[in-house]
Amino acid sequence: MMTVEAADKSMPAKGSLPVLALGAIGVVFGDIGTSPPYAMKEAFIGPHPLAVNDLHIFGVLSLIFWTLMIIVTLKYVLVALRADNHGEGGSFALLARISRHVEGPRATASVVVLGVLAASLFYGDAMITPAISVLSAAEGLKVIDPGLEPFALPLATIVLIALFAVQSRGTGLVGKAFGPIVLVYFLSIATLGVSSIMAQPEVLAALNPYWAFRFFEIEPALAFLALGSIFLAVTGAEALYADLGHFGRRPIGISWLTLVYPCLMLNYLGQGALLLRAPEAVSNPFFLLAPEDLRLPLLGLAMAATVIASQAVITGAFSLTHQAIQLGYISRLKVVYTSETEAGQIYIPVINWALLVMVLALVFGFGSSSNLASAYGIAVTGTMLITTLMLGVFVVKIWRWRPLFAATFISAFLTLEGVFFFSNALKVFDGGWVPIVVAAVIFTLLTTWARGRVILKHSLSSGALPLEIFIKSARGSAMTAKGTAVFMTAADGAVPSALLHNLKHNQVLHERVILLNMKVETVPYVDAEKRLCVTACGGGFFRIVLRYGFMDEIDVPRELDGFSDPSGRIEPQFTSYFLGRQKLIATHDIKSMALWREHLFAWMLRVSESAMDYFKLPTNRVIEVGSQLRI
């Protein structure tokens, strides 16, 4: 008997530190880097407008600076990036890591709910980010020429359709250009900011936290309401954690501290300096920072940066969905690998086109970036709050921090993010309901599929014939066919229904029968040489467990190619794969799910990608055996 344990290996990002840092600038910081075109503007002319005066300008700038410092620098760069799952970050990676250390069904269920809820909120963010980023950049047309304003919406639409249309070609080649383009963008907006600051150097006083406290002291209600718009400067911070596996902690941290954070603040301070001397520029301080001759190039550069930011979010949605499929929270979907060398470069058609439909619906439904800003923020703050709660579990269970110290540390972030969340919650009726509804739908789908799989597995295994008994009786009562039969099964030690039905109707057993069980571990990757676990059961029967990490590519024939027994290796041309296909019948069983969720699970099972395609089985060697099952 051969055994295997999941490998605790991380997949370090490949490349030198400068190359990885440049890549991180292009991919990781595209989202947060495209906040300047709308964040400062929305603070003054958004749902809760502020008068353009010294108190408000200094107060808003101070809040932006210290929010970026506390949430991005302290929480994400210094803490969250260290809370990895063998080099991978993000809500599902963190969930998988914590799940191995949490004891008790209630605690485990609570952590799972948090992780799934964070993932659900991410999809709302993934829809709004491309819409608001590209639309805000396109609106720069009216700064160049007010007569061009009607063309902003069509331009944004064309760019978005083109962006989603090229996803199937992969991001490898385009990704190499991301870093330099965004680097030029950051340096350009910083240069514009410095030029404006030199004309109004007193704006640098806004870095003093005194102005943030002063704003709240004099006008607490307005300051609280303004937080909903100020938080737009932080959107995209989750990408630092989600993209940890692609670039590593050091490149991301160095890029943020040495380039991205300084460039962002120089631009925000420059916008503030512009408003101090020209309050009428509040209509679009980002583009009005540039001299008239440079506004068109700035528009093109901003549009390129927003496309890159959108690309990063779309890629993140693909990656998150792939992890969810592997971990059993989403039904099987078609996953296309767009690179022969980089496993992380994937394309999921149904996610791509669903996102495009929702993004265009948001663009036409809201019509402007100002209106969309009202829908932005709730999903992001909700995700951040959940990440903080999960980090609290992580530092206690894994890093073994003292509970009092951990509670104090985590409470500080929860308090700050909670204030931002409630400020954004006031925008629910102005469009904030959109990400909430999306998250609720996604959460329902994820939890229904996860619960349905548990019930289905229990139904299939209950009453199943033990393998040992079956082997003793089956060989003598059936004809022997040459070759190998592979039966996919989810139950350990039991005879799969497809094998029973095949024997019942055909009275045939192959010379070699493999019962194949797939297990996805709570680590990103499992070493290929340790993936196969084989148990010889006698009589030509073998039980094989294939172990994958939640970031691994599944290819069953490739893995079985390395298997052999005394009779020889598996010959692909003499190997048949038997799959069970269950038609589910919903019942009123109180031990199961609500009836509507049973119908939903049955529908999800019907529309999921076939096991043949998902496991990359040869189409001419697959036999499906159908049956009905009540749940």
Side-chain angles (χ1 to χ4, degrees):
M1 175 179 176
M2 292 181 287
T3 59
V4 66
E5 291 185 0
D8 285 349
K9 79 170 189 175
S10 61
M11 297 291 286
K14 300 177 182 179
S16 64
L17 182 59
V19 171
L20 290 172
L22 182 62
I25 290 169
V27 176
V28 177
F29 299 107
D31 191 357
I32 197 169
T34 52
S35 295
Y38 54 84
M40 192 75 174
K41 177 181 70 174
E42 290 305 312
F44 286 92
I45 63 174
H48 308 289
L50 297 173
V52 185
N53 57 39
D54 290 6
L55 174 65
H56 295 154
I57 293 172
F58 280 85
V60 167
L61 288 172
S62 185
L63 285 169
I64 289 176
F65 175 77
W66 288 103
T67 299
L68 290 171
M69 174 65 75
I70 296 172
I71 293 181
V72 182
T73 306
L74 295 183
K75 175 186 169 181
Y76 284 99
V77 173
L78 298 183
V79 179
L81 292 186
R82 299 174 183 271
D84 66 301
N85 186 352
H86 303 287
E88 294 294 330
S91 56
F92 273 125
L94 186 59
L95 167 62
R97 177 78 186 274
I98 293 175
S99 297
R100 303 199 300 269
H101 297 270
V102 175
E103 299 177 355
R106 287 189 177 182
T108 302
S110 299
V111 171
V112 168
V113 168
L114 287 175
V116 173
L117 186 55
S120 303
L121 288 166
F122 174 83
Y123 285 102
D125 180 29
M127 293 186 314
I128 299 177
T129 294
I132 191 172
S133 298
V134 174
L135 191 54
S136 65
E139 287 171 350
L141 285 172
K142 64 183 178 182
V143 177
I144 298 171
D145 185 345
L148 296 176
E149 183 175 359
F151 295 98
L153 195 61
L155 176 60
T157 303
I158 293 171
V159 170
L160 287 167
I161 292 176
L163 173 64
F164 282 92
V166 301
Q167 293 303 310
S168 61
R169 300 180 180 273
T171 60
L173 294 176
V174 181
K176 293 179 180 178
F178 282 7
I181 292 174
V182 179
L183 177 61
V184 171
Y185 167 78
F186 277 124
L187 294 176
S188 299
I189 65 173
T191 301
L192 293 173
V194 169
S195 176
S196 180
I197 293 170
M198 290 176 65
Q200 206 82 30
E202 60 267 27
V203 75
L204 292 173
L207 300 181
N208 190 333
Y210 162 83
W211 286 103
F213 290 109
R214 184 67 173 165
F215 188 13
F216 270 92
E217 180 185 7
I218 297 177
E219 296 178 337
L222 270 180
F224 175 75
L225 294 173
L227 290 178
S229 297
I230 291 169
F231 189 78
L232 295 173
V234 193
T235 54
E238 278 286 320
L240 277 74
Y241 190 37
D243 286 316
L244 174 60
H246 294 113
F247 301 99
R249 177 171 59 87
R250 286 190 65 207
I252 293 175
I254 290 173
S255 299
W256 169 255
L257 293 172
T258 62
L259 180 84
V260 179
Y261 188 19
C263 288
L264 286 176
M265 279 314 306
L266 287 172
N267 187 261
Y268 284 125
L269 289 167
Q271 291 187 47
L274 175 63
L275 295 181
L276 285 174
R277 61 180 181 270
E280 65 277 6
V282 74
S283 60
N284 204 322
F286 176 79
F287 283 101
L288 291 173
L289 265 182
E292 190 171 347
D293 294 342
L294 296 180
R295 288 172 189 168
L296 185 58
L298 179 61
L299 171 65
L301 190 57
M303 183 65 74
T306 56
V307 168
I308 292 171
S310 302
Q311 174 65 65
V313 173
I314 295 167
T315 303
F318 292 159
S319 179
L320 183 70
T321 303
H322 182 245
Q323 293 181 36
I325 294 171
Q326 300 284 67
L327 292 172
Y329 292 101
I330 296 181
S331 58
R332 291 189 302 265
L333 300 175
K334 183 178 181 180
V335 178
V336 179
Y337 290 83
T338 59
S339 171
E340 294 181 357
T341 57
E342 298 295 332
Q345 292 186 21
I346 59 175
Y347 166 67
I348 304 180
V350 66
I351 298 297
N352 184 68
W353 300 118
L355 278 177
L356 174 60
V357 170
M358 292 303 297
V359 167
L360 291 180
L362 289 172
V363 168
F364 285 99
F366 286 88
S368 71
S369 62
S370 292
N371 293 335
L372 265 172
S374 297
Y376 211 18
I378 293 182
V380 183
T381 52
T383 304
M384 286 184 175
L385 277 170
I386 294 170
T387 300
T388 300
L389 289 171
M390 295 177 72
L391 282 174
V393 179
F394 186 95
V395 299
V396 172
K397 293 292 184 179
I398 299 175
W399 285 350
R400 301 295 181 183
W401 285 12
R402 293 182 179 180
L404 181 60
F405 177 73
T408 303
F409 184 80
I410 295 300
S411 295
F413 291 120
L414 287 177
T415 301
L416 178 61
E417 292 167 352
V419 172
F420 277 113
F421 177 81
F422 286 112
S423 179
N424 277 282
L426 297 176
K427 300 186 292 185
V428 167
F429 297 106
D430 294 322
W433 56 271
V434 173
I436 294 176
V437 170
V438 170
V441 171
I442 299 296
F443 183 81
T444 301
L445 292 174
L446 296 181
T447 53
T448 297
W449 181 256
R451 175 61 180 159
R453 287 182 71 250
V454 172
I455 295 172
L456 180 60
K457 184 176 180 179
H458 176 74
S459 299
L460 290 172
S461 60
S462 61
L465 184 65
L467 181 60
E468 292 77 8
I469 297 175
F470 176 82
I471 293 174
K472 291 179 181 178
S473 59
R475 276 299 180 194
S477 60
M479 297 178 60
T480 301
K482 292 184 177 181
T484 302
V486 180
F487 291 87
M488 309 291 289
T489 176
D492 296 325
V495 181
S497 60
L499 175 54
L500 290 173
H501 284 290
N502 180 58
L503 181 62
K504 175 182 177 182
H505 294 292
N506 299 320
Q507 290 85 46
V508 170
L509 282 177
H510 285 69
E511 290 176 318
R512 179 165 46 197
V513 178
I514 294 176
L515 307 184
L516 184 62
N517 184 225
M518 311 287 299
K519 290 187 181 297
V520 177
E521 305 292 345
T522 56
V523 294
Y525 301 94
V526 171
D527 286 326
E529 63 272 13
K530 299 180 180 179
R531 187 165 287 154
L532 214 63
C533 177
V534 181
T535 303
C537 303
F541 281 78
F542 297 87
R543 187 165 63 238
I544 294 182
V545 177
L546 274 180
R547 301 181 188 273
Y548 286 93
F550 57 79
M551 297 290 288
D552 279 321
E553 176 187 0
I554 294 179
D555 189 331
V556 170
R558 181 185 63 197
E559 307 302 342
L560 292 182
D561 186 55
F563 168 76
S564 65
D565 66 356
S567 64
R569 297 173 63 87
I570 290 180
E571 299 291 340
Q573 65 271 29
F574 298 116
T575 301
S576 299
Y577 295 87
F578 290 81
L579 303 176
R581 177 176 286 272
Q582 286 76 34
K583 180 181 179 181
L584 302 186
I585 301 174
T587 66
H588 289 279
D589 187 355
I590 59 174
K591 295 181 180 179
S592 183
M593 296 184 289
L595 188 60
W596 67 269
R597 293 187 74 188
E598 292 181 357
H599 283 295
L600 176 60
F601 176 69
W603 172 80
M604 293 174 72
L605 189 63
R606 286 197 304 272
V607 301
S608 64
E609 185 188 25
S610 70
M612 177 181 66
D613 294 328
Y614 183 72
F615 295 124
K616 295 182 174 57
L617 306 180
T619 55
N620 60 341
R621 308 299 304 173
V622 174
I623 301 170
E624 286 195 340
V625 181
S627 61
Q628 288 188 345
L629 185 67
R630 294 180 178 273
I631 60 172

